[in-house]
Amino acid sequence: MEEVYKPGEDSYLLQRWVEKLVTGNVLDMGTGSGIQAVTAAQKKEVNHVLAVDINPAALVAAEKGAYSNKVQDKIEFLHSDLFETVDGVFDWILFNTPYLPSEGDADEASWAGGETGGEVIRRFLGEAPCFLGSGGSVLMIYSSLSGLTDADFNGYRFELLEEIGLFFEKIYCVRLSPF
Ligand SMILES: C[S@@+](CC[C@H](N)C(=O)[O-])C[C@H]1O[C@@H](n2cnc3c(N)ncnc32)[C@H](O)[C@@H]1O
């Protein structure tokens, strides 16, 4: 079984903005340990969180976290490759993406973003607008190593919320709202 991503600087960066911005009905894509789902569920402004991951071990860990933080009634867990089995529309979609370049299937889903680092993100950005209600936004983390360009954000209003420097890369937290 795959390991579950242990929260790092990227997770805490996203968490700060979840605390500040997120309300209503929330989708936590790639929930991992459940850090974002639990943070969102702890807010009184949030009604419901759907926590999704491709890694079944992550869903087990996230559910445990929900119980230990006593927010299990507000979070639902779903196994899915991105939006494949997701149903519904959301006010916010959170995603601390797997954003690093990787080679082949042996790489870990926690961080492997495909050959250029941006493949999973591009697929996500293409599908996300269909799952956002009117006025909804994506809150997303990616890296200067993800190989993304302005063209990858076509169709979204792009707002850079915060940037941090980590070793040889920069990590960005952005808000994306479909036009
Ligand atoms: C960088 S970790 C982030 C974990 C957690 N949200 C956090 O902030 O610490 C990326 C997560 O995305 C999940 N993931 C990767 N590819 C996915 C896909 N195609 N569909 C759903 N989840 C995916 C991984 O299993 C992993 O849990």
Side-chain angles (χ1 to χ4, degrees), residues 21 90-93 124-125 128-129 132-140 153-161 174-179:
L21 295 179
F90 302 87
D91 299 300
W92 287 90
I93 301 178
F124 168 78
L125 292 176
L132 281 170
S134 135
S137 295
V138 166
L139 194 55
M140 189 185 99
F153 298 102
N154 272 348
Y156 289 96
R157 190 164 63 80
F158 179 101
E159 189 184 351
L160 175 62
L161 298 173
V174 296
R175 176 178 181 171
L176 305 170
S177 312
F179 287 120

Side-chain angles (χ1 to χ4, degrees), residues 2-15 28-37 52-56 58-59 78-84 94-99 108-113 120 123-124 141:
E2 279 205 54
E3 286 201 9
V4 178
Y5 187 78
K6 194 168 158 279
E9 289 301 316
D10 48 358
S11 314
Y12 301 126
L13 171 58
L14 181 57
Q15 185 186 36
D28 180 25
M29 183 60 75
T31 196
S33 65
I35 175 173
Q36 315 302 343
V52 170
D53 210 290
I54 199 170
N55 176 5
L59 296 169
L78 181 71
H79 183 240
S80 184
D81 177 359
L82 294 182
F83 295 98
E84 211 167 85
L94 321 175
F95 197 13
N96 180 7
T97 62
Y99 53 64
E108 270 223 63
S110 285
W111 56 267
V120 177
R123 198 153 57 88
F124 168 78
I141 299 286

Side-chain angles (χ1 to χ4, degrees), residues 1-2 28 38 42 79 108 113 119-120 135 151 164 172:
M1 197 180 279
E2 279 205 54
D28 180 25
V38 166
Q42 283 172 331
H79 183 240
E108 270 223 63
E119 273 78 3
V120 177
I164 56 172
Y172 308 108

Side-chain angles (χ1 to χ4, degrees), residues 34-168:
I35 175 173
Q36 315 302 343
V38 166
T39 301
Q42 283 172 331
K43 296 184 69 172
K44 64 178 184 341
E45 299 87 351
V46 167
N47 309 321
H48 182 262
V49 182
L50 178 62
V52 170
D53 210 290
I54 199 170
N55 176 5
L59 296 169
V60 173
E63 189 162 9
K64 241 182 179 172
Y67 273 91
S68 52
N69 286 283
K70 300 187 171 50
V71 288
Q72 71 276 7
D73 293 346
K74 254 176 151 179
I75 311 183
E76 214 179 313
F77 299 89
L78 181 71
H79 183 240
S80 184
D81 177 359
L82 294 182
F83 295 98
E84 211 167 85
T85 66
V86 173
D87 197 17
V89 287
F90 302 87
D91 299 300
W92 287 90
I93 301 178
L94 321 175
F95 197 13
N96 180 7
T97 62
Y99 53 64
L100 293 176
S102 59
E103 293 167 8
D105 296 338
D107 288 308
E108 270 223 63
S110 285
W111 56 267
E115 205 176 326
T116 68
E119 273 78 3
V120 177
I121 300 174
R122 284 191 198 98
R123 198 153 57 88
F124 168 78
L125 292 176
E127 296 171 19
C130 302
F131 295 87
L132 281 170
S134 135
S137 295
V138 166
L139 194 55
M140 189 185 99
I141 299 286
Y142 69 101
S143 156
S144 53
L145 302 178
S146 306
L148 298 180
T149 67
D150 290 352
D152 292 309
F153 298 102
N154 272 348
Y156 289 96
R157 190 164 63 80
F158 179 101
E159 189 184 351
L160 175 62
L161 298 173
E162 195 176 341
E163 171 183 323
I164 56 172
L166 269 191
F167 306 107
F168 301 106

